[in-house]
Amino acid sequence: MKFEKIPNISVDCVVFGYDINTKSLNVLVMKRYLESKTGTDVLVDDYVLTGYHVYEHETLDGCATRVLKELTGLTNQYKKQFKAFGNPDRLTNEKDLIWIENEGFNLRTITIAYYFLLKTEDVDLKNNKHQEKWFPIKELPELGFDHRKIILEAYEDLKVKCLSEPVIFKLLPDKFTINEVQELYQSILGVDFDNRNFRRKLIKKKYIIPLDEKQVGVSKKPAQLYMFSKDVYEKMFQKNYLISI
Amino acid sequence: MKFEKIPNISVDCVVFGYDINTKSLNVLVMKRYLESKTGTDVLVDDYVLTGYHVYEHETLDGCATRVLKELTGLTNQYKKQFKAFGNPDRLTNEKDLIWIENEGFNLRTITIAYYFLLKTEDVDLKNNKHQEKWFPIKELPELGFDHRKIILEAYEDLKVKCLSEPVIFKLLPDKFTINEVQELYQSILGVDFDNRNFRRKLIKKKYIIPLDEKQVGVSKKPAQLYMFSKDVYEKMFQKNYLISI
């Protein structure tokens, strides 16, 4: 099979990782670095999303899966294709033009953007060949192309989605405390919830299953652990259309 | 300005129209018809979504707006880019291949799909040059390319979206009865709601504004008319993050 790239169509991946210790929603980006031919000047030194051209034989989903695996070694993570970006001027700032000339790709490239939801701790950044780095969503570095826009639109989509679908559990370990769910919601939405109200509402949900286990290795009183049951959730959702506009 | 088409990137539009009289959610599609060169055989006779190649100078949103205007004459309608479709085999059934050979476009075309929400009655189908026709979402005709898949995915997206965002009001006239909102939800979701419950919940919403008007020209007792206030909705939504998973 030939591995021919489609020169004007790419996939870009916004990898969201939640760090349960720092309570921070992070984005994984990689270094974009280029020196002049003489090696005396740094022409480009910033960060970009990880992405790649789509191969002729490949589906868009397949391309996104390949890109994530190349970056993190991970497969089978939650992914969502959320938007295509195709403005004619999306790759035309000065550094982008230098970069594109060096890499020889098409100025009018349309990118299909995906986001992934995973746990920061699942990604091993030792010896990473792309100089990847996590940045908190609130402290993004200088980004090339239209990648800041892509990240912020992915974040908006996630904010809306986490209110109506249980995607949030993809960012948590399998066993979690109610407090950890609340902290994650607060981190994503940038608001504070009343502890008692939040707990009361969440433990009422049939798909939040209390376990016969408590936290270990914590200095304070260990809290009850719970898990999310996708099975129960899906059965409930099929029966009830909850209109919550 | 040159109007050069990008040969492998298109936009396709799923135009949803609600017919308040028949209580049916419809999709606008156009005829795809091709005879053999001798005129003796009909080679292709089915329906497709309306779509077009993206121009070099054009944004994706701009292309979708242009396509809708060409089809319906309408501008300023609610539109959502919901997914890109790019499977390598999406245009490869027998009729598609005949059609593509005749039209001379790229076999590996990726399409960015949008859906529009409007009222069936706003589209004038007299003298339509593309032989456009409305079909109820439950009674789609034979469709070319992967357009059945695109329509059904747009419909799934709409079903989820109408539960958590007030998009449904784009499908209704400015002034509506509570019963009409219920019928529309029932038509989209394919379920029946309890009348009294539905009414009670809906009229409690601050953004559903009762008018000093009633229906006219109905044989039964005329019902109270309401309108949807986007202003009020947006102010409420900014303040409250309603988690309804």
Side-chain angles (χ1 to χ4, degrees):
Chain A
M1 186 176 289
K2 292 176 298 177
F3 280 69
E4 265 182 55
K5 288 191 270 187
I6 304 178
N8 64 342
I9 298 172
S10 64
V11 156
D12 276 301
C13 296
V14 181
V15 181
F16 286 118
Y18 182 62
D19 184 332
I20 200 165
N21 298 311
T22 61
K23 300 168 194 173
S24 168
L25 182 71
N26 299 327
V27 181
L28 189 61
V29 288
M30 61 187 218
K31 194 79 161 173
R32 184 173 74 155
Y33 185 83
L34 184 69
E35 288 178 349
S36 62
K37 284 190 180 111
T38 57
T40 49
D41 295 309
V42 176
L43 300 177
V44 182
D45 182 10
D46 53 15
Y47 287 88
V48 287
L49 291 172
T50 182
Y52 203 76
H53 288 270
V54 179
Y55 287 127
E56 282 287 352
H57 67 275
E58 190 176 48
T59 63
L60 302 175
D61 280 5
C63 181
T65 302
R66 169 170 64 82
V67 167
L68 183 80
K69 191 179 173 198
E70 167 78 10
L71 184 73
T72 64
L74 298 173
T75 52
N76 290 322
Q77 302 296 309
Y78 174 88
K79 74 165 174 289
K80 187 195 169 193
Q81 190 213 99
F82 75 97
K83 199 171 176 190
F85 292 81
N87 277 7
D89 62 356
R90 58 178 291 264
L91 309 176
T92 52
N93 83 41
E94 196 186 347
K95 285 182 189 170
D96 296 343
L97 292 175
I98 295 170
W99 186 262
I100 286 169
E101 196 190 333
N102 187 62
E103 297 273 317
F105 64 79
N106 198 318
L107 251 184
R108 184 72 164 102
T109 292
I110 281 165
T111 198
I112 318 297
Y114 283 76
Y115 63 80
F116 287 84
L117 301 179
L118 45 85
K119 298 164 260 304
T120 305
E121 63 187 20
D122 285 350
V123 181
D124 181 7
L125 288 188
K126 271 180 240 142
N127 310 321
N128 71 86
K129 59 182 172 185
H130 300 295
Q131 297 188 62
E132 306 141 41
K133 205 174 162 187
W134 290 108
F135 286 91
I137 183 79
K138 307 286 186 202
E139 297 161 30
L140 295 175
E142 191 186 334
L143 288 154
F145 307 127
D146 56 351
H147 289 186
R148 174 177 295 274
K149 179 180 162 72
I150 293 178
I151 292 172
L152 294 180
E153 290 206 27
Y155 182 40
E156 283 307 310
D157 193 285
L158 174 62
K159 281 202 240 182
V160 172
K161 204 178 184 63
C162 77
L163 295 175
S164 58
E165 291 178 48
V167 291
I168 203 152
F169 301 105
K170 308 286 180 188
L171 295 161
L172 286 171
D174 289 344
K175 301 171 184 181
F176 48 78
T177 68
I178 299 297
N179 202 34
E180 285 166 346
V181 182
Q182 183 178 344
E183 284 164 355
L184 174 51
Y185 265 116
Q186 291 180 166
S187 165
I188 292 178
L189 298 172
V191 292
D192 284 336
F193 291 108
D194 176 74
N195 292 6
R196 216 156 52 174
N197 254 335
F198 188 91
R199 165 175 299 274
R200 186 175 52 78
K201 282 187 187 167
L202 200 64
I203 59 178
K204 261 200 293 187
K205 310 280 184 191
K206 294 266 186 293
Y207 49 81
I208 301 290
I209 315 285
L211 301 173
D212 289 333
E213 287 180 60
K214 295 200 167 186
Q215 285 179 303
V216 287
V218 289
S219 52
K220 53 185 173 16
K221 188 176 167 235
Q224 162 94 48
L225 291 172
Y226 293 80
M227 62 168 277
F228 167 70
S229 169
K230 192 164 176 264
D231 282 356
V232 176
Y233 181 83
E234 280 171 359
K235 272 177 204 139
M236 288 178 57
F237 191 72
Q238 277 165 9
K239 280 197 213 139
N240 301 310
Y241 280 108
L242 267 174
I243 300 175
S244 52
I245 59 168
Chain B
M1 185 176 289
K2 291 176 299 177
F3 280 69
E4 264 182 56
K5 288 191 270 187
I6 304 178
N8 64 342
I9 298 172
S10 65
V11 156
D12 276 301
C13 296
V14 180
V15 181
F16 286 118
Y18 182 61
D19 185 333
I20 200 165
N21 297 312
T22 61
K23 300 167 193 173
S24 167
L25 182 71
N26 299 326
V27 180
L28 189 61
V29 288
M30 61 188 218
K31 194 80 163 173
R32 185 173 73 156
Y33 185 83
L34 183 69
E35 288 178 350
S36 62
K37 283 189 181 111
T38 56
T40 49
D41 294 309
V42 176
L43 301 176
V44 182
D45 181 10
D46 53 15
Y47 287 89
V48 286
L49 291 171
T50 182
Y52 203 76
H53 287 271
V54 179
Y55 287 127
E56 282 287 353
H57 67 276
E58 190 176 48
T59 63
L60 301 176
D61 279 5
C63 181
T65 302
R66 168 170 65 82
V67 167
L68 184 80
K69 191 179 173 198
E70 167 78 10
L71 184 73
T72 64
L74 298 173
T75 52
N76 290 320
Q77 302 296 310
Y78 174 88
K79 74 164 173 290
K80 187 195 170 194
Q81 190 213 99
F82 74 98
K83 199 170 177 191
F85 292 81
N87 277 7
D89 62 356
R90 58 178 290 265
L91 309 177
T92 52
N93 83 41
E94 196 187 346
K95 285 182 189 169
D96 296 343
L97 292 175
I98 295 170
W99 185 262
I100 286 169
E101 198 191 333
N102 186 63
E103 298 273 316
F105 65 80
N106 198 318
L107 251 184
R108 184 73 163 102
T109 292
I110 282 165
T111 198
I112 318 298
Y114 284 76
Y115 63 80
F116 287 84
L117 301 179
L118 45 84
K119 298 164 261 305
T120 305
E121 63 186 21
D122 285 350
V123 181
D124 181 6
L125 287 188
K126 270 180 240 142
N127 310 321
N128 71 86
K129 60 182 171 184
H130 299 296
Q131 297 188 63
E132 306 141 43
K133 204 173 163 188
W134 290 108
F135 286 91
I137 183 79
K138 307 287 185 201
E139 297 161 31
L140 295 175
E142 191 186 335
L143 288 154
F145 307 127
D146 56 351
H147 289 186
R148 173 178 296 273
K149 179 180 162 73
I150 293 178
I151 291 172
L152 294 180
E153 290 207 27
Y155 181 40
E156 282 308 309
D157 193 285
L158 175 62
K159 281 202 240 182
V160 172
K161 205 177 184 64
C162 77
L163 295 175
S164 59
E165 291 178 47
V167 290
I168 203 151
F169 301 105
K170 307 287 180 187
L171 294 161
L172 286 171
D174 289 345
K175 301 172 184 180
F176 48 78
T177 68
I178 298 297
N179 202 36
E180 284 167 346
V181 182
Q182 183 178 343
E183 283 164 356
L184 174 51
Y185 265 115
Q186 291 180 166
S187 164
I188 292 178
L189 298 172
V191 292
D192 284 335
F193 291 109
D194 176 75
N195 291 6
R196 218 157 50 175
N197 255 335
F198 188 91
R199 165 175 299 273
R200 186 175 53 77
K201 282 188 187 165
L202 199 64
I203 59 178
K204 262 201 291 188
K205 310 281 184 190
K206 293 266 187 293
Y207 49 81
I208 301 290
I209 315 286
L211 301 173
D212 289 334
E213 287 180 60
K214 295 199 168 187
Q215 285 178 302
V216 286
V218 288
S219 52
K220 53 185 173 15
K221 190 175 166 235
Q224 162 95 47
L225 290 172
Y226 293 80
M227 62 169 276
F228 167 71
S229 169
K230 192 165 176 263
D231 282 356
V232 176
Y233 181 84
E234 280 172 359
K235 271 177 204 140
M236 288 178 58
F237 192 71
Q238 278 166 9
K239 280 197 213 141
N240 301 310
Y241 280 108
L242 267 174
I243 300 175
S244 52
I245 60 167

mmCIF file with all atom_site columns, all heavy atoms in Angstrom, chain B residues 159-170:
data_model
loop_
_atom_site.group_PDB
_atom_site.id
_atom_site.type_symbol
_atom_site.label_atom_id
_atom_site.label_alt_id
_atom_site.label_comp_id
_atom_site.label_asym_id
_atom_site.label_entity_id
_atom_site.label_seq_id
_atom_site.pdbx_PDB_ins_code
_atom_site.Cartn_x
_atom_site.Cartn_y
_atom_site.Cartn_z
_atom_site.occupancy
_atom_site.B_iso_or_equiv
_atom_site.pdbx_formal_charge
_atom_site.auth_seq_id
_atom_site.auth_comp_id
_atom_site.auth_asym_id
_atom_site.auth_atom_id
_atom_site.pdbx_PDB_model_num
ATOM 1  N N   . LYS B 1 159 ? -30.834 15.967 17.545 1.00 0.00 ? 159 LYS B N   1
ATOM 2  C CA  . LYS B 1 159 ? -31.581 15.383 18.666 1.00 0.00 ? 159 LYS B CA  1
ATOM 3  C C   . LYS B 1 159 ? -30.896 15.680 19.991 1.00 0.00 ? 159 LYS B C   1
ATOM 4  O O   . LYS B 1 159 ? -31.541 16.020 20.981 1.00 0.00 ? 159 LYS B O   1
ATOM 5  C CB  . LYS B 1 159 ? -31.682 13.857 18.493 1.00 0.00 ? 159 LYS B CB  1
ATOM 6  C CG  . LYS B 1 159 ? -32.742 13.421 17.519 1.00 0.00 ? 159 LYS B CG  1
ATOM 7  C CD  . LYS B 1 159 ? -33.139 11.976 17.820 1.00 0.00 ? 159 LYS B CD  1
ATOM 8  C CE  . LYS B 1 159 ? -32.881 11.078 16.657 1.00 0.00 ? 159 LYS B CE  1
ATOM 9  N NZ  . LYS B 1 159 ? -33.308 9.680  16.900 1.00 0.00 ? 159 LYS B NZ  1
ATOM 10 N N   . VAL B 1 160 ? -29.571 15.523 20.019 1.00 0.00 ? 160 VAL B N   1
ATOM 11 C CA  . VAL B 1 160 ? -28.836 15.786 21.256 1.00 0.00 ? 160 VAL B CA  1
ATOM 12 C C   . VAL B 1 160 ? -28.857 17.284 21.566 1.00 0.00 ? 160 VAL B C   1
ATOM 13 O O   . VAL B 1 160 ? -29.108 17.709 22.689 1.00 0.00 ? 160 VAL B O   1
ATOM 14 C CB  . VAL B 1 160 ? -27.381 15.277 21.142 1.00 0.00 ? 160 VAL B CB  1
ATOM 15 C CG1 . VAL B 1 160 ? -26.556 15.721 22.342 1.00 0.00 ? 160 VAL B CG1 1
ATOM 16 C CG2 . VAL B 1 160 ? -27.360 13.762 21.014 1.00 0.00 ? 160 VAL B CG2 1
ATOM 17 N N   . LYS B 1 161 ? -28.619 18.080 20.530 1.00 0.00 ? 161 LYS B N   1
ATOM 18 C CA  . LYS B 1 161 ? -28.507 19.522 20.716 1.00 0.00 ? 161 LYS B CA  1
ATOM 19 C C   . LYS B 1 161 ? -29.815 20.141 21.213 1.00 0.00 ? 161 LYS B C   1
ATOM 20 O O   . LYS B 1 161 ? -29.811 21.039 22.046 1.00 0.00 ? 161 LYS B O   1
ATOM 21 C CB  . LYS B 1 161 ? -28.111 20.161 19.383 1.00 0.00 ? 161 LYS B CB  1
ATOM 22 C CG  . LYS B 1 161 ? -27.402 21.488 19.521 1.00 0.00 ? 161 LYS B CG  1
ATOM 23 C CD  . LYS B 1 161 ? -26.987 22.013 18.158 1.00 0.00 ? 161 LYS B CD  1
ATOM 24 C CE  . LYS B 1 161 ? -26.200 23.291 18.279 1.00 0.00 ? 161 LYS B CE  1
ATOM 25 N NZ  . LYS B 1 161 ? -24.932 23.088 18.982 1.00 0.00 ? 161 LYS B NZ  1
ATOM 26 N N   . CYS B 1 162 ? -30.946 19.638 20.716 1.00 0.00 ? 162 CYS B N   1
ATOM 27 C CA  . CYS B 1 162 ? -32.221 20.273 21.077 1.00 0.00 ? 162 CYS B CA  1
ATOM 28 C C   . CYS B 1 162 ? -32.587 20.005 22.537 1.00 0.00 ? 162 CYS B C   1
ATOM 29 O O   . CYS B 1 162 ? -33.476 20.649 23.080 1.00 0.00 ? 162 CYS B O   1
ATOM 30 C CB  . CYS B 1 162 ? -33.340 19.845 20.135 1.00 0.00 ? 162 CYS B CB  1
ATOM 31 S SG  . CYS B 1 162 ? -33.997 18.206 20.434 1.00 0.00 ? 162 CYS B SG  1
ATOM 32 N N   . LEU B 1 163 ? -31.892 19.064 23.172 1.00 0.00 ? 163 LEU B N   1
ATOM 33 C CA  . LEU B 1 163 ? -32.151 18.808 24.594 1.00 0.00 ? 163 LEU B CA  1
ATOM 34 C C   . LEU B 1 163 ? -31.441 19.811 25.489 1.00 0.00 ? 163 LEU B C   1
ATOM 35 O O   . LEU B 1 163 ? -31.854 20.045 26.620 1.00 0.00 ? 163 LEU B O   1
ATOM 36 C CB  . LEU B 1 163 ? -31.692 17.394 24.974 1.00 0.00 ? 163 LEU B CB  1
ATOM 37 C CG  . LEU B 1 163 ? -32.428 16.230 24.307 1.00 0.00 ? 163 LEU B CG  1
ATOM 38 C CD1 . LEU B 1 163 ? -31.778 14.918 24.677 1.00 0.00 ? 163 LEU B CD1 1
ATOM 39 C CD2 . LEU B 1 163 ? -33.898 16.228 24.680 1.00 0.00 ? 163 LEU B CD2 1
ATOM 40 N N   . SER B 1 164 ? -30.352 20.378 24.996 1.00 0.00 ? 164 SER B N   1
ATOM 41 C CA  . SER B 1 164 ? -29.560 21.232 25.884 1.00 0.00 ? 164 SER B CA  1
ATOM 42 C C   . SER B 1 164 ? -29.386 22.664 25.384 1.00 0.00 ? 164 SER B C   1
ATOM 43 O O   . SER B 1 164 ? -28.851 23.499 26.089 1.00 0.00 ? 164 SER B O   1
ATOM 44 C CB  . SER B 1 164 ? -28.180 20.600 26.116 1.00 0.00 ? 164 SER B CB  1
ATOM 45 O OG  . SER B 1 164 ? -27.517 20.425 24.898 1.00 0.00 ? 164 SER B OG  1
ATOM 46 N N   . GLU B 1 165 ? -29.823 22.940 24.153 1.00 0.00 ? 165 GLU B N   1
ATOM 47 C CA  . GLU B 1 165 ? -29.732 24.311 23.642 1.00 0.00 ? 165 GLU B CA  1
ATOM 48 C C   . GLU B 1 165 ? -31.047 24.671 22.960 1.00 0.00 ? 165 GLU B C   1
ATOM 49 O O   . GLU B 1 165 ? -31.715 23.804 22.413 1.00 0.00 ? 165 GLU B O   1
ATOM 50 C CB  . GLU B 1 165 ? -28.584 24.422 22.619 1.00 0.00 ? 165 GLU B CB  1
ATOM 51 C CG  . GLU B 1 165 ? -27.215 24.277 23.241 1.00 0.00 ? 165 GLU B CG  1
ATOM 52 C CD  . GLU B 1 165 ? -26.117 24.344 22.176 1.00 0.00 ? 165 GLU B CD  1
ATOM 53 O OE1 . GLU B 1 165 ? -26.158 25.247 21.329 1.00 0.00 ? 165 GLU B OE1 1
ATOM 54 O OE2 . GLU B 1 165 ? -25.242 23.469 22.196 1.00 0.00 ? 165 GLU B OE2 1
ATOM 55 N N   . PRO B 1 166 ? -31.411 25.946 22.965 1.00 0.00 ? 166 PRO B N   1
ATOM 56 C CA  . PRO B 1 166 ? -32.736 26.313 22.456 1.00 0.00 ? 166 PRO B CA  1
ATOM 57 C C   . PRO B 1 166 ? -32.802 26.443 20.938 1.00 0.00 ? 166 PRO B C   1
ATOM 58 O O   . PRO B 1 166 ? -33.416 27.357 20.416 1.00 0.00 ? 166 PRO B O   1
ATOM 59 C CB  . PRO B 1 166 ? -32.987 27.660 23.141 1.00 0.00 ? 166 PRO B CB  1
ATOM 60 C CG  . PRO B 1 166 ? -31.632 28.248 23.285 1.00 0.00 ? 166 PRO B CG  1
ATOM 61 C CD  . PRO B 1 166 ? -30.684 27.102 23.494 1.00 0.00 ? 166 PRO B CD  1
ATOM 62 N N   . VAL B 1 167 ? -32.171 25.533 20.216 1.00 0.00 ? 167 VAL B N   1
ATOM 63 C CA  . VAL B 1 167 ? -32.159 25.610 18.752 1.00 0.00 ? 167 VAL B CA  1
ATOM 64 C C   . VAL B 1 167 ? -33.532 25.357 18.146 1.00 0.00 ? 167 VAL B C   1
ATOM 65 O O   . VAL B 1 167 ? -33.805 25.744 17.016 1.00 0.00 ? 167 VAL B O   1
ATOM 66 C CB  . VAL B 1 167 ? -31.170 24.599 18.126 1.00 0.00 ? 167 VAL B CB  1
ATOM 67 C CG1 . VAL B 1 167 ? -29.743 25.001 18.418 1.00 0.00 ? 167 VAL B CG1 1
ATOM 68 C CG2 . VAL B 1 167 ? -31.428 23.184 18.609 1.00 0.00 ? 167 VAL B CG2 1
ATOM 69 N N   . ILE B 1 168 ? -34.386 24.715 18.915 1.00 0.00 ? 168 ILE B N   1
ATOM 70 C CA  . ILE B 1 168 ? -35.676 24.298 18.394 1.00 0.00 ? 168 ILE B CA  1
ATOM 71 C C   . ILE B 1 168 ? -36.522 25.476 17.911 1.00 0.00 ? 168 ILE B C   1
ATOM 72 O O   . ILE B 1 168 ? -37.324 25.353 16.986 1.00 0.00 ? 168 ILE B O   1
ATOM 73 C CB  . ILE B 1 168 ? -36.384 23.464 19.488 1.00 0.00 ? 168 ILE B CB  1
ATOM 74 C CG1 . ILE B 1 168 ? -37.417 22.553 18.880 1.00 0.00 ? 168 ILE B CG1 1
ATOM 75 C CG2 . ILE B 1 168 ? -36.938 24.332 20.588 1.00 0.00 ? 168 ILE B CG2 1
ATOM 76 C CD1 . ILE B 1 168 ? -37.637 21.303 19.685 1.00 0.00 ? 168 ILE B CD1 1
ATOM 77 N N   . PHE B 1 169 ? -36.289 26.634 18.529 1.00 0.00 ? 169 PHE B N   1
ATOM 78 C CA  . PHE B 1 169 ? -37.103 27.799 18.171 1.00 0.00 ? 169 PHE B CA  1
ATOM 79 C C   . PHE B 1 169 ? -36.784 28.335 16.779 1.00 0.00 ? 169 PHE B C   1
ATOM 80 O O   . PHE B 1 169 ? -37.546 29.114 16.226 1.00 0.00 ? 169 PHE B O   1
ATOM 81 C CB  . PHE B 1 169 ? -36.967 28.878 19.248 1.00 0.00 ? 169 PHE B CB  1
ATOM 82 C CG  . PHE B 1 169 ? -37.406 28.383 20.601 1.00 0.00 ? 169 PHE B CG  1
ATOM 83 C CD1 . PHE B 1 169 ? -36.475 28.073 21.581 1.00 0.00 ? 169 PHE B CD1 1
ATOM 84 C CD2 . PHE B 1 169 ? -38.750 28.168 20.865 1.00 0.00 ? 169 PHE B CD2 1
ATOM 85 C CE1 . PHE B 1 169 ? -36.880 27.580 22.812 1.00 0.00 ? 169 PHE B CE1 1
ATOM 86 C CE2 . PHE B 1 169 ? -39.161 27.669 22.093 1.00 0.00 ? 169 PHE B CE2 1
ATOM 87 C CZ  . PHE B 1 169 ? -38.226 27.376 23.069 1.00 0.00 ? 169 PHE B CZ  1
ATOM 88 N N   . LYS B 1 170 ? -35.637 27.895 16.213 1.00 0.00 ? 170 LYS B N   1
ATOM 89 C CA  . LYS B 1 170 ? -35.317 28.269 14.830 1.00 0.00 ? 170 LYS B CA  1
ATOM 90 C C   . LYS B 1 170 ? -36.272 27.595 13.842 1.00 0.00 ? 170 LYS B C   1
ATOM 91 O O   . LYS B 1 170 ? -36.369 27.997 12.693 1.00 0.00 ? 170 LYS B O   1
ATOM 92 C CB  . LYS B 1 170 ? -33.890 27.819 14.466 1.00 0.00 ? 170 LYS B CB  1
ATOM 93 C CG  . LYS B 1 170 ? -32.824 28.275 15.426 1.00 0.00 ? 170 LYS B CG  1
ATOM 94 C CD  . LYS B 1 170 ? -32.552 29.733 15.268 1.00 0.00 ? 170 LYS B CD  1
ATOM 95 C CE  . LYS B 1 170 ? -31.469 30.177 16.249 1.00 0.00 ? 170 LYS B CE  1
ATOM 96 N NZ  . LYS B 1 170 ? -31.314 31.640 16.231 1.00 0.00 ? 170 LYS B NZ  1
#
